[in-house]
Amino acid sequence: MNAAVRAVVRMGIYVGAKVYFIYEGYQGMVDGGSNIAEADWESVSSILQVGGTIIGSARCQAFRTREGRLKAACNLVQRGITNLCVIGGDGSLTGANLFRKEWSGLLEELAKNGHIEKEAVQRYAYLNVVGMVGSIDNDFCGTDMTIGTDSALHRIIEVVDAIMTTAQSHQRTFVLEVMGRHCGYLALVSALACGADWVFLPESPPEEGWEEQMCVKLSENRARKKRLNIIIVAEGAIDTQNKPITSEKIKELVVTQLGYDTRVTILGHVQRGGTPSAFDRILASRMGVEAVIALLEATPDTPACVVSLSGNHAVRLPLMECVQMTQDVQKAMDERRFQDAVRLRGKSFAGNLNTYKRLAIKLPDDQIPKTNCNVAVINVGAPAAGMNAAVRSAVRVGIADGHRMLAIYDGFDGFAKGQIKEIGWTDVGGWTGQGGSILGTKRALPGKCLEEIAMQMRMHCINALLIIGGFEAYLGLLELSAAREKHEEFCVPMVMVPATVSNNVPGSDFSIGADTALNTITDTCDRIKQSASGTKRRVFIIETMGGYCGYLANMGGLAAGADAAYIFEEPFDIRDLQSNVEHLTEKMKTTIQRGLVLRNESCSENYTTDFIYQLYSEEGKGVFDCRKNVLGHMQQGGAPSPFDRNFGTKISARAMEWITAKLKEARGRGKKFTTDDSVCVLGISKRNVIFQPVAELKKETDFEHRIPKEQWWLKLRPLMKILAKYKASYDVSDSGQLEHVQPWSV
C-alpha cells in the first residue's frame, strides 16, 4: 500500500495538484481535524520498503451511517477536496461509491444546516472516485492481482520451504492453514508453487468421499518414497454441503486413518506483514500513477472506477461491476453453484485450478492412453530460478498426456554426447522450490554438433523437443530450425519456454527467473540503503546484470525507489550524468539522506560503474559521499520466487499441451513437421499467452545486443523519473478507456 500512497502523492504533486493524506481510513475522514493533512514530496520518502500503510487504516462504523458521511463530506469541502483515491478491499470501495452517489445530496443538506456556504454546493458539485484494490486474498473480481497478494505468497512460500526441510527429516505430514475466508487464491497458488499433495478451497470443495481419496493419495505418495506430505487449507474451506473443513479435522483424519505423525501450522497474520515484494511495489507504483491520471480525466458522467492489471496491461474497470461480480461469487458459493464460483473468479483462477489438478494427481498407468511418442526436455543457457518448476510441470503434463518423457542433461553438449534418460512422475517431486537447474545447463549452441544431435534424436526416437532457457535457447532453436533441410530428425515440433534473469527473449514480455532476480536486487538495495541510516548523506551506485537488456536495472530502480537507472536502451552522455548529479545534490540539501543509482552492466562501454562512482564522488564533495556495489551472480541464484514457480509451472504446462496437440495432428500419418509454425517461442504478450514462430521473431531481434528491438517496459521509464522528481513526459495513450468486466467461461 505504501508504494501506492507514494505514487499517488508524487504523481499528484507532479501534475500540480494539492495532495492530502487522510489518516486512519474513513474514521479519519469523519473525524477531520489533524486526520486530514497536506502531503509533500518528502512525506513519502523511504516508505517503499515498509509493509502496512503509513497513513493507517481502520474499520469505521460511523461512515456506514448518513450522519457519518455528512461529517466526512463537510471535512472534504472545507479543504476543497473533490478527488478521492481509495486503496482497500471491496468494503472500502463500495463505501466510496455510495459516498460519491450521495455527494450532491450531502452538500445540499450541509448548506441547508449552515455548515457550508451555498456557493460551495455549486463549486464542489461532483466527487470523483478512483479505487485501487489492496487485499492479500486477491478476492476482487476483474483484477489479475491485487496489491499485497504477491507479498503474502512470499510469506507463505518462505514458511513452506522451511517446513519442508523439517518434514523431510521426520517423515511428517503438515497441514498448513492460509488466509482466505471467502477466496482460495492464496491456498491454490501456494499449493501450485510448492507441489502440495492436497488443497482445500472455498470455491471448489472436494467431492463426496474425499476423506478416503485423500488418504489413498497420501499413502500412495509415501509408498513412492515421498518422505513428506503437505496439505494446504484455506481458512474458509468448505465441503459440498457448505460445512467448514478445518485444519484440525484434517489432522485427526490423517492420524486416525493412516497413523502418520501430523502437525498443523496456522500462518495467520504473518501473511499480512513483512516487506513488500518487488512485484507488489511495481504494481502499486503503476496503479498509483494510473489512478491520478484517471482522476484527472474523470468527468461527472464517468462512473467510479478501479485501476488494475490485466496481464501486464493497466486497465480501468467500473468499480460497481467489479463489486457486483465479487458478491456474485459469494452468492454462487452460498447456493452451492461451485462451478459458477470458479468461472466468476476469472480466467487465471480457473487456469491455476486446472493446472494444479493435472500436476498433483497421477492416474494409474493403465488408465493413461499411450501415444508412443517420446518428448525430450532440455535446459539451455545460464541457470534461472524457476527452471526446475518448468521441467517438473512439463514432465508431469507429458506423462498425463501419454507420452514417454526424456530428460537431456547439460544442454546441447549433453545432447550431443547422449546424456539422455527417461524421467518419471516421481523423479520430479519436490523440484518446484529448487533454484538453479537440476538437469544442468550450458551456454553451448547446437551448431557445431548438429550431426551428433541428429543421431541422438534418431537413436532415442525423439518426436518433440521442449527447450527451457534464455537467449542461447532462442539461438539454438533458430539453428535447429535452419538445419531441418539437412537433417530430417529436426522436423519435429519444437517449442521454447523463456527462462533467463535478463528477460531479453524476443516474443515474451516476461521470462522465468527475472522476478526472482528482481527481488534479490530490491532486497539488496533496501539493505544497502539501510546501511547508511544515521551516517551522513550517501549515494549508492549499484551495478545489475542483464547483458545489454536494461530490464533488471529499470524495474529494480522502480521497485527500490532509485534516483536514476542507466541502461543501454536509452543512450546517455556526460550532460545527462551531470544533470543527475546536480539533481541529487539539490535533493540532498533537503531532509533526504540517501540516493540510489542503478547501472546495467553493459549500458555503456566508457561510462563504467567506476567512472560513474568517481564522477558522483567528485561532484558531490561536501554534500554527499559515495559507495559502489556490483551485485553479480547472486542475481542468478536463490530459491525461486512464488511468481517464478507459478509462471514456470503454468507456461511449461501450456507448452506441453501445444506439443500434444501437434503430435495428435500427425498421428498415424507419419507427418514430418517442416513449416515455421512447428518451431515456436511461447511467451506472454500484454494479456495473452502466444506461440510465435522463431522465423517471424527473427526480424524483431537485435542479434548483436541480444535483445528484442521493442521492449514493453521502456514505457515505464518516465514513471521512475517522475517518482524521482524529474520532469518527464508520461505517455498516457495506452491508459484510459473504461472496459467492462467479462465473466469468463470455463
Side-chain angles (χ1 to χ4, degrees):
M1 278 182 162
N2 283 329
V5 169
R6 170 180 177 265
V8 171
V9 169
R10 293 195 166 172
M11 186 66 181
I13 292 170
Y14 173 80
V15 297
K18 249 184 172 185
V19 185
Y20 289 88
F21 280 154
I22 298 179
Y23 290 99
E24 312 309 335
Y26 288 131
Q27 193 63 54
M29 201 196 287
V30 174
D31 295 344
S34 61
N35 286 309
I36 305 178
E38 193 173 345
D40 62 14
W41 194 270
E42 288 157 50
S43 47
V44 290
S45 179
S46 302
I47 66 169
L48 258 179
Q49 67 278 15
V50 182
T53 164
I54 58 158
I55 56 177
S57 175
R59 299 198 185 279
C60 174
Q61 284 306 319
F63 195 74
R64 292 169 184 262
T65 66
R66 189 171 166 90
E67 289 74 65
R69 294 192 289 277
L70 264 174
K71 283 184 191 164
C74 186
N75 288 326
L76 293 189
V77 168
Q78 282 166 358
R79 294 165 180 79
I81 299 172
T82 54
N83 291 296
L84 202 52
C85 181
V86 182
I87 311 170
D90 58 348
S92 316
L93 297 174
T94 312
N97 192 58
L98 177 65
F99 190 44
R100 179 178 178 274
K101 276 190 184 153
E102 290 182 350
W103 181 257
S104 53
L106 292 170
L107 295 202
E108 278 165 17
E109 194 174 325
L110 287 168
K112 204 164 111 190
N113 300 343
H115 293 304
I116 59 171
E117 302 290 324
K118 281 269 195 302
E119 59 166 88
V121 180
Q122 293 303 307
R123 195 185 326 159
Y124 305 121
Y126 300 104
L127 178 71
N128 296 319
V129 172
V130 171
M132 283 184 270
V133 193
S135 151
I136 65 162
D137 298 343
N138 202 18
D139 57 357
F140 198 75
C141 292
T143 61
D144 271 3
M145 278 294 251
T146 56
I147 297 168
T149 306
D150 189 64
S151 303
L153 285 170
H154 272 259
R155 298 299 91 76
I156 295 170
I157 294 304
E158 282 158 17
V159 171
V160 173
D161 285 355
I163 278 178
M164 277 176 131
T165 49
T166 158
Q168 283 276 14
S169 322
H170 293 281
Q171 290 209 29
R172 282 198 175 134
T173 297
F174 268 89
V175 180
L176 236 78
E177 185 179 302
V178 300
M179 280 188 164
R181 273 199 312 261
H182 307 295
C183 178
Y185 184 87
L186 289 178
L188 177 55
V189 174
S190 43
L192 250 186
C194 72
D197 297 85
W198 202 272
V199 66
F200 291 93
L201 316 169
E203 294 89 344
S204 180
E207 295 161 8
E208 296 291 325
W210 61 268
E211 294 88 346
E212 193 182 333
Q213 280 178 321
M214 184 180 80
C215 291
V216 168
K217 167 98 197 297
L218 296 180
S219 54
E220 275 177 3
N221 281 351
R222 280 288 165 98
R224 292 194 191 118
K225 301 279 188 290
K226 187 175 179 187
R227 292 179 62 90
L228 78 159
N229 303 111
I230 288 202
I231 299 164
I232 292 184
V233 193
E235 60 179 328
I238 47 176
D239 63 16
T240 47
Q241 301 309 308
N242 283 27
K243 291 197 175 62
I245 297 177
T246 63
S247 30
E248 277 303 327
K249 180 179 170 180
I250 296 164
K251 175 189 168 174
E252 279 166 29
L253 185 73
V254 175
V255 172
T256 51
Q257 298 283 321
L258 299 168
Y260 292 164
D261 186 359
T262 306
R263 297 281 189 276
V264 172
T265 301
I266 296 173
L267 294 190
H269 279 75
V270 167
Q271 297 160 82
R272 285 197 188 280
T275 309
S277 65
F279 181 95
D280 267 334
R281 298 182 198 195
I282 293 165
L283 169 70
S285 300
R286 288 180 68 183
M287 295 302 96
V289 169
E290 278 297 322
V292 173
I293 296 168
L295 283 171
L296 291 176
E297 293 176 356
T299 67
D301 306 322
T302 46
C305 72
V306 285
V307 287
S308 94
L309 267 198
S310 172
N312 70 5
H313 197 64
V315 292
R316 294 181 199 171
L317 303 161
L319 189 148
M320 282 325 285
E321 281 186 27
C322 297
V323 169
Q324 186 54 52
M325 205 152 132
T326 306
Q327 290 167 352
D328 288 348
V329 176
Q330 189 54 50
K331 194 163 171 256
M333 278 154 43
D334 292 342
E335 294 170 4
R336 308 215 294 259
R337 292 182 288 112
F338 295 109
Q339 273 184 324
D340 287 348
V342 170
R343 183 176 63 83
L344 289 164
R345 273 273 177 250
K347 186 171 163 184
S348 102
F349 188 89
N352 284 331
L353 187 56
N354 289 334
T355 307
Y356 174 77
K357 284 178 179 167
R358 292 201 71 179
L359 298 176
I361 297 161
K362 180 182 188 288
L363 286 170
D365 284 339
D366 53 12
Q367 284 180 32
I368 303 174
K370 296 283 176 282
T371 59
N372 299 324
C373 291
N374 297 328
V375 179
V377 184
I378 183 172
N379 286 167
V380 177
M387 273 184 162
N388 299 320
V391 173
R392 166 187 177 264
S393 170
V395 167
R396 291 199 167 176
V397 171
I399 290 170
D401 284 346
H403 310 312
R404 185 165 158 263
M405 296 302 295
L406 301 172
I408 299 167
Y409 293 84
D410 294 337
F412 287 118
D413 260 5
F415 203 165
K417 292 177 189 151
Q419 294 172 1
I420 304 168
K421 281 210 293 254
E422 183 172 355
I423 187 164
W425 185 278
T426 46
D427 298 333
V428 291
W431 279 28
T432 43
Q434 308 275 335
S437 160
I438 297 172
L439 294 184
T441 178
K442 286 191 173 166
R443 290 176 179 270
L445 292 170
K448 297 193 182 78
C449 45
L450 287 167
E451 297 282 337
E452 292 87 335
I453 291 176
M455 188 179 84
Q456 294 296 340
M457 297 267 296
R458 204 165 50 244
M459 277 168 57
H460 290 274
C461 301
I462 292 172
N463 306 100
L465 184 61
L466 169 62
I467 305 177
I468 299 167
F471 205 83
E472 281 85 7
Y474 172 69
L475 295 175
L477 196 56
L478 280 166
E479 289 181 4
L480 293 178
S481 166
R484 275 178 160 183
E485 286 176 20
K486 222 172 162 187
H487 303 281
E488 62 173 15
E489 291 83 358
F490 299 138
C491 296
V492 298
M494 294 190 266
V495 63
M496 172 194 162
V497 167
T500 161
V501 296
S502 308
N503 196 23
N504 62 338
V505 176
S508 187
D509 291 351
F510 294 109
S511 57
I512 299 166
D515 183 72
T516 305
L518 209 48
N519 275 297
T520 304
I521 293 168
T522 311
D523 291 348
T524 312
C525 288
D526 288 351
R527 287 183 187 193
I528 287 173
K529 273 167 105 172
Q530 205 172 26
S531 72
S533 54
T535 53
K536 52 185 187 290
R537 302 193 156 87
R538 183 164 282 174
V539 173
F540 294 96
I541 316 289
I542 294 175
E543 181 186 303
T544 67
M545 278 179 140
Y548 285 101
C549 177
Y551 179 82
L552 289 178
N554 187 66
M555 300 308 255
L558 195 52
D563 295 278
Y566 299 117
I567 59 171
F568 167 77
E569 291 88 344
E570 192 176 278
F572 57 98
D573 59 20
I574 195 72
R575 286 181 293 277
D576 298 310
L577 290 169
Q578 180 63 32
S579 81
N580 289 152
V581 175
E582 285 166 10
H583 187 260
L584 256 177
T585 313
E586 281 310 304
K587 250 191 188 171
M588 290 286 184
K589 289 176 182 165
T590 64
T591 56
I592 290 170
Q593 299 217 317
R594 296 189 285 287
L596 186 65
V597 174
L598 270 67
R599 177 189 176 274
N600 159 267
E601 58 185 356
S602 307
C603 67
S604 161
E605 205 177 330
N606 296 312
Y607 298 136
T608 59
T609 303
D610 281 334
F611 177 91
I612 292 176
Y613 163 68
Q614 286 161 349
L615 177 79
Y616 273 75
S617 299
E618 182 60 35
E619 296 294 320
K621 266 188 185 154
V623 183
F624 57 79
D625 65 358
C626 264
R627 295 286 184 275
K628 67 168 194 265
N629 273 73
V630 176
L631 298 186
H633 278 77
M634 61 190 279
Q635 296 163 82
Q636 268 183 5
S641 67
F643 181 91
D644 278 332
R645 297 180 193 200
N646 212 343
F647 180 53
T649 299
K650 290 203 298 199
I651 199 158
S652 181
R654 189 71 197 78
M656 275 312 299
E657 286 164 9
W658 178 86
I659 285 176
T660 300
K662 287 276 178 214
L663 293 173
K664 213 177 237 169
E665 278 172 34
R667 197 171 299 154
R669 283 185 280 162
K671 177 182 166 190
K672 283 199 178 67
F673 291 88
T674 50
T675 53
D676 286 348
D677 68 355
S678 59
V679 189
C680 286
V681 173
L682 170 57
I684 297 251
S685 174
K686 276 196 175 160
R687 308 183 190 190
N688 306 310
V689 177
I690 50 173
F691 291 87
Q692 285 169 282
V694 278
E696 285 173 23
L697 288 173
K698 254 164 116 169
K699 58 182 181 295
E700 293 172 24
T701 310
D702 169 353
F703 285 99
E704 186 194 343
H705 300 106
R706 301 161 52 99
I707 51 175
K709 286 179 183 167
E710 282 194 16
Q711 303 186 80
W712 68 274
W713 51 266
L714 283 167
K715 279 196 177 141
L716 302 183
R717 283 286 284 174
L719 209 87
M720 190 192 84
K721 293 177 183 171
I722 289 169
L723 297 178
K725 218 173 184 172
Y726 284 93
K727 291 277 173 269
S729 54
Y730 183 52
D731 174 17
V732 294
S733 59
D734 260 6
S735 57
Q737 303 317 306
L738 250 188
E739 300 184 11
H740 290 289
V741 187
Q742 304 294 338
W744 191 66
S745 52
V746 178

